[in-house]
């Protein structure tokens, strides 16, 4: 079983919701990202997404855009992100997913990317501009490297698409909470809840809700509809304003809220 | 022709978030329906004729021809269209599509402002709500077009993310579309973006080349040998090239912006100097650094400074259907001035790049050969910027 699936399944068996935390590699610098990842893992994150900065992140809102721009301006590269992942893996067994855009992987070479990042300790890749129609580009190389290629469903996904996407799902199914980009906002989870229900008919992989979840209360609310929640912008924002301890506190508070009875 | 998955010889595709995939599929299905619907085509043709001012003239530039003393030079006068550039061809077609799809809002990106003005214009005409994303720097360079859009009732949104130019405006427009996809149609301004956009924009712009095909009967004995057009994203070039795609007697030459020179790194020559990669939903030639980060393009012409290019141009380049060359800021400025003074026509800085290539092309031509230049837009919007850099004008 995939490392990502296993982690979320173990939690599920214990009646707990999974918590997936996103951080941008190189924001505000690689050493701080490393410290923040370790803090998030200790505070109860089940999976950490490492964002490899790309110049044109079309699926990201202002917070993560800014983090990527700042990291790039400070000289962050894909090679440095790879090194960061090695350093993380040397210190923790927390499941890891790399989140980046198609061009970053294409430029590196899909096979080389999966081999190198797989060897460094990545368990999955999340590519928000690679819809089902284009997954051929990475599906084989991911399979060979035993890396989960995370699939997305959105509130706009049709029944046919949900069935086709779910069939390809591995690791976990990334369910986009809202039409829009990443970033904290008030949400109506009903449309994605309907989509999740449909997806569960086709796939047994755990489902995770992401986009827009900004607080422990919001995490708890979103978790009602899924096996796990994904939190990105709020954590990156907290890292910028309060540093590594701020991340530890936020992740810890989310963990606590998710573990509270009735979730 | 794009295949089922929107590929042109391996280029193109749909590299976008899942959220907009259903909208792209809907758009493609809808477009395929109206494409063969005589009623839609008649409506589009009537707006082109009665509102935009088609067909445009194929003007014999006698003075310019005499200036070079070689082949005959013809200008396809897209600059005479309503709003001053070829962009209205696509804006009208897509606004009619949006209306048929029942979408009340349109969103667009703009660089030089010509596409933004075209969208603002059709939005006013059809009573659609319109929002245009424009780089902050471009808003300063093209203040007149910003005013025109606002006058037409469009909301112009400054983009400061990334480098604050066309590339970032396009990303912002895509993000806005992802967020408001249910009631909003995104009118991409060039033959770029995810499938089906490169195909749709090409089809709406192909009217340029289709007219040239009919008009070449008037070449007075000369034989059409060359078609020259500027290429940023590449919509006017694709529009005039495509109907001649299989016509090997006619050489298609796309002129990219070399900016301060392709060796300086400050240019917008994606086909000539880029490598294939993915930007804004399509796989095509792209200016990128050694880490796969997209490099900011530079050109004196705001409409050409885009680091990507339409995927069908990438396929044309690889297969040799068209040839792509470059022209610097300085050469374009000289052509801007030359056409104004010799023919009394002020071309857009974008189109000036095509005009500038005559310097290299004309000595190779003979008197019985004809060259058609796509004069994609007029230069009124550029005079202030040009006055700043050009002494003695």
């Amino acid at each position: 079983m995939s490392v990502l699936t296993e982690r979320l399944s173990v939690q599920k068996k214990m009646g707990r919701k999974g918590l997936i935390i996103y951080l941008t590699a190189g924001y505000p610098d690689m050493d701080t990202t490393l410290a923040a990842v370790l803090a998030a893992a200790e505070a109860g994150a089940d999976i950490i997404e490492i964002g490899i900065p790309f110049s044109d992140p079309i699926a990201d809102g202002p917070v993560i855009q800014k983090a990527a721009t700042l990291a790039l301006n400070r000289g962050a590269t894909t090679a440095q992100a790879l090194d960061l992942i090695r350093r993380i893996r040397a210190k923790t067994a927390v499941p890891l997913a790399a989140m980046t855009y198609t061009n970053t992987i294409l430029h590196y070479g899909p096979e080389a990317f999966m081999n190198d990042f797989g060897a460094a300790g990545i368990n999955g890749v999340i590519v928000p501009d690679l819809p089902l129609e284009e997954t051929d580009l990475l599906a084989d190389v991911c399979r060979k490297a035993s890396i989960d290629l995370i699939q997305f469903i959105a509130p706009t996904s049709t029944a046919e698409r949900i069935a086709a996407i779910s069939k390809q799902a591995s690791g976990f199914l990334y369910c986009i909470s809202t039409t829009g980009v990443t970033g904290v906002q008030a949400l109506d989870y009903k449309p994605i809840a309907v989509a999740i229900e449909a997806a569960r008919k086709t796939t047994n992989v755990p489902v995770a809700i992401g986009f827009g979840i900004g607080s422990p209360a919001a995490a708890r609310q979103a978790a009602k509809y899924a096996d796990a929640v994904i939190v990105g912008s709020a954590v990156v924002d907290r890292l910028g304003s309060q540093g590594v301890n701020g991340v530890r506190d936020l992740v810890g508070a989310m963990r606590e809220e998710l573990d509270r009875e009735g979730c | 022709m794009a295949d089922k998955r929107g590929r042109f010889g391996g280029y193109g595709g749909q590299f976008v978030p899942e959220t907009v995939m259903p909208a792209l599929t809907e758009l493609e299905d809808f477009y395929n329906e109206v494409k063969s619907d005589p009623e839609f085509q008649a409506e589009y043709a009537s707006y082109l004729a009665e509102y935009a001012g088609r067909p445009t003239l194929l003007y014999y530039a006698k003075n310019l021809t005499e200036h070079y003393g070689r082949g005959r030079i013809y200008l396809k006068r897209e600059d005479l269209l309503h709003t001053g550039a070829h962009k209205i061809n696509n804006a009208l077609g897509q606004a009619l599509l949006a209306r048929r799809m029942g979408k009340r809002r349109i969103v667009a990106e703009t660089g030089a402002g010509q596409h933004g003005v075209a969208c603002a214009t059709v939005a006013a005409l059809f009573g659609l709500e319109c929002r245009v994303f424009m780089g902050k720097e471009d808003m300063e360079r093209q203040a007149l077009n910003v005013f025109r859009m606002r006058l037409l009732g469009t909301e112009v949104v400054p983009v400061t993310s990334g480098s604050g130019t066309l590339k970032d405006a396009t990303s912002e427009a895509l993000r806005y579309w992802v967020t408001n996809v249910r009631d909003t149609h995104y009118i991409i301004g060039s033959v770029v973006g995810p499938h089906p956009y490169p195909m749709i924009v090409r089809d709406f712009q192909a009217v340029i080349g289709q007219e040239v095909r009919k008009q070449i009967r008037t070449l007075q004995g000369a034989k059409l040998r060359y078609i020259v057009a500027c290429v940023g994203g590449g919509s006017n070039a694709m529009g005039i090239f495509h109907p001649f795609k299989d016509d090997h007697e006619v050489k298609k030459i796309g002129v990219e912006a070399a900016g301060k020179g392709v060796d300086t790194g400050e240019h917008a020559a994606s086909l000539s100097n880029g490598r294939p990669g993915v930007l804004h939903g399509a796989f095509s030639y792209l200016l990128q650094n050694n880490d796969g980060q997209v490099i900011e393009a530079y050109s004196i012409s705001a409409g050409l400074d885009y680091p990507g290019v339409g995927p069908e141009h990438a396929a044309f380049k690889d297969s040799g259907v068209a040839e792509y060359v470059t022209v610097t800021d300085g050469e374009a400025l000289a052509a801007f001035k030359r056409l104004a003074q010799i023919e009394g026509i002020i071309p857009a800085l974008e189109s000036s790049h095509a005009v500038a290539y005559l310097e290299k092309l004309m000595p190779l031509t003979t008197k019985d050969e004809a060259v058609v230049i796509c004069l994609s837009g007029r230069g009124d919007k550029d005079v202030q910027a040009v006055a700043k850099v050009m002494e003695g004008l």
Side-chain angles (χ1 to χ4, degrees):
Chain A
M1 189 189 277
S2 110
V3 172
L4 302 180
T5 305
E6 192 180 1
R7 177 65 175 243
L8 295 178
S9 301
V10 165
Q11 291 288 48
K12 196 176 180 176
K13 268 182 211 140
M14 302 196 314
R16 295 175 90 200
K17 297 292 184 176
L19 178 58
I20 302 172
I21 295 296
Y22 168 94
L23 287 155
T24 299
Y27 176 77
D29 55 64
M30 292 293 174
D31 288 345
T32 309
T33 313
L34 173 64
V37 167
L38 298 177
E42 281 164 23
D46 293 298
I47 296 169
I48 311 272
E49 272 183 45
I50 304 293
I52 304 172
F54 176 55
S55 53
D56 298 79
I58 54 169
D60 282 306
V63 171
I64 294 176
Q65 276 179 54
K66 260 190 213 156
T69 303
L70 190 126
L72 290 172
N73 288 345
R74 291 186 178 172
T77 61
T78 307
Q80 285 177 16
L82 178 63
D83 185 54
L84 170 71
I85 286 157
R86 286 194 195 108
R87 290 163 69 198
I88 295 168
R89 191 44 90 223
K91 299 201 165 170
T92 172
V94 70
L96 294 172
M99 190 274 191
T100 192
Y101 287 81
T102 304
N103 198 56
T104 302
I105 297 173
L106 264 185
H107 191 274
Y108 196 98
E111 197 170 356
F113 186 96
M114 298 312 157
N115 288 340
D116 292 356
F117 278 76
I122 281 294
N123 307 111
V125 291
I126 302 172
V127 192
D129 63 345
L130 196 82
L132 182 68
E133 280 73 2
E134 305 291 353
T135 43
D136 285 356
L137 188 69
L138 300 183
D140 277 352
V141 289
C142 281
R143 210 171 295 126
K144 276 184 207 151
S146 301
I147 289 177
D148 291 318
L149 178 56
I150 303 301
Q151 299 290 336
F152 287 89
I153 61 169
T156 48
S157 303
T158 58
E160 292 92 352
R161 291 190 66 81
I162 291 170
I165 293 165
S166 305
K167 219 175 272 175
Q168 302 279 326
S170 75
F172 60 87
L173 183 64
Y174 198 130
C175 304
I176 302 171
S177 63
T178 177
T179 62
V181 294
T182 58
V184 174
Q185 53 184 300
L187 293 174
D188 171 15
Y189 292 104
K190 281 192 201 89
I192 194 64
V194 171
I196 288 171
E197 213 172 296
R200 289 211 197 265
K201 286 180 190 147
T202 315
T203 183
N204 291 320
V205 308
V207 299
I209 289 194
F211 285 36
I213 300 165
S215 65
R220 183 181 169 87
Q221 197 198 349
K224 277 184 199 150
Y225 305 98
D227 305 312
V229 296
I230 305 165
V231 185
S233 295
V235 178
V236 172
D237 192 45
R238 186 64 71 92
L239 179 60
S241 61
Q242 295 176 28
V244 172
N245 286 334
V247 169
R248 191 192 321 270
D249 293 347
L250 180 62
V251 174
M254 286 187 161
R255 179 75 269 167
E256 202 173 301
E257 192 63 26
L258 289 176
D259 290 348
R260 210 154 54 79
E261 230 168 282
C263 189
Chain B
M1 200 55 215
D3 69 11
K4 185 81 186 71
R5 288 174 56 216
R7 297 292 177 151
F8 304 95
Y11 297 102
Q14 295 180 303
F15 297 91
V16 291
E18 167 61 17
T19 314
V20 296
M21 277 307 303
L24 289 177
T25 308
E26 180 198 8
L27 177 62
E28 185 181 358
D29 292 348
F30 213 89
Y31 177 70
N32 285 333
E33 247 174 62
V34 301
K35 205 176 162 182
S36 50
D37 174 3
E39 198 182 308
F40 179 88
Q41 292 302 336
E43 190 182 21
Y44 178 49
S46 93
Y47 277 106
L48 284 181
E50 285 156 40
Y51 189 73
R54 301 211 73 94
T56 58
L57 298 172
L58 186 67
Y59 166 72
Y60 170 48
K62 185 162 171 282
N63 296 347
L64 197 62
T65 299
E66 283 168 5
H67 171 80
Y68 289 108
R70 297 281 182 151
R72 297 170 73 89
I73 301 168
Y74 291 83
L75 305 178
K76 181 59 174 165
R77 297 293 307 275
E78 296 298 295
D79 61 314
L80 294 178
L81 286 170
H82 179 42
T83 71
H86 71 290
K87 295 290 186 190
I88 192 81
N89 301 329
N90 171 50
L92 267 175
Q94 289 207 46
L96 286 170
L97 258 181
R99 206 164 67 156
R100 282 232 174 173
M101 286 189 288
K103 300 208 172 179
R104 302 290 310 156
R105 297 203 282 179
I106 57 178
V107 61
E109 81 296 333
T110 198
Q114 290 305 104
H115 174 57
V117 167
C119 287
T121 299
V122 298
L125 177 67
F126 296 129
L128 302 167
E129 206 180 293
C130 180
R131 180 183 295 234
V132 171
F133 289 92
M134 189 169 186
K136 203 165 176 290
E137 193 189 310
D138 288 337
M139 285 179 72
E140 283 158 21
R141 287 200 282 189
Q142 304 286 345
L144 180 66
N145 275 341
V146 174
F147 177 74
R148 289 166 82 193
M149 287 184 271
R150 287 180 172 156
L151 180 68
L152 290 158
T154 278
E155 188 185 342
V156 184
V157 186
V159 175
T160 52
S161 60
S163 48
T165 58
L166 177 58
K167 153 179 105 78
D168 309 288
T170 306
S171 296
E172 267 320 292
L174 270 167
R175 292 185 186 110
Y176 181 85
W177 191 41
V178 170
T179 309
N180 298 280
V181 63
R182 288 194 176 94
D183 66 349
T184 303
H185 175 62
Y186 178 23
I187 305 189
I188 288 187
S190 192
V191 287
V192 300
H195 176 68
Y197 279 107
M199 172 181 80
I200 292 176
V201 178
R202 177 250 281 154
D203 288 354
F204 285 138
Q205 291 295 359
V207 65
I208 306 172
Q210 286 153 6
E211 284 177 8
V212 171
R213 242 198 200 295
K214 288 181 201 151
Q215 291 166 323
I216 50 176
R217 294 187 198 114
T218 63
L219 298 184
Q220 298 174 331
K223 191 162 170 43
L224 176 61
R225 293 304 303 273
Y226 299 96
I227 297 177
V228 185
C230 64
V231 177
S235 69
N236 88 87
M238 189 48 68
I240 198 166
F241 289 174
H242 200 267
F244 292 91
K245 166 169 79 79
D246 300 319
D247 203 332
H248 305 297
E249 300 269 280
V250 180
K251 205 165 168 191
K252 279 78 67 183
I253 303 172
V255 184
E256 294 191 292
K260 295 179 180 169
V262 285
D263 302 331
T264 65
E266 289 187 69
H267 61 82
S270 341
L271 287 163
S272 310
N273 272 68
R275 278 168 295 163
V278 170
L279 176 67
H280 297 145
F283 179 61
S284 185
Y285 280 82
L286 180 60
L287 299 178
Q288 47 185 324
N289 71 11
N290 290 331
D291 197 37
Q293 307 298 342
V294 180
I295 299 173
E296 192 49 38
Y298 165 80
S299 165
I300 190 169
S301 146
L304 298 183
D305 85 13
Y306 181 68
V309 66
E312 198 165 10
H313 281 296
F316 277 11
K317 176 191 157 85
D318 285 7
S319 63
V321 168
E323 184 194 332
Y324 297 88
V325 298
T326 64
V327 150
T328 63
D329 283 358
E331 292 168 316
L333 280 167
F336 180 88
K337 193 170 169 182
R338 194 180 309 120
L339 196 66
Q341 295 184 346
I342 294 181
E343 288 289 349
I345 296 171
I346 302 175
L349 276 176
E350 292 77 16
S351 323
S352 300
H353 284 73
V355 178
Y357 190 66
L358 292 173
E359 292 282 304
K360 286 168 191 150
L361 179 64
M362 292 320 290
L364 309 176
T365 62
T366 56
K367 283 194 186 292
D368 58 348
E369 292 181 327
V371 177
V372 170
I373 300 279
C374 191
L375 206 69
S376 55
R378 62 177 175 241
D380 308 41
K381 68 183 173 59
D382 296 313
V383 290
Q384 264 184 322
V386 172
K388 269 189 201 162
V389 293
M390 192 184 267
E391 280 181 12
L393 192 85

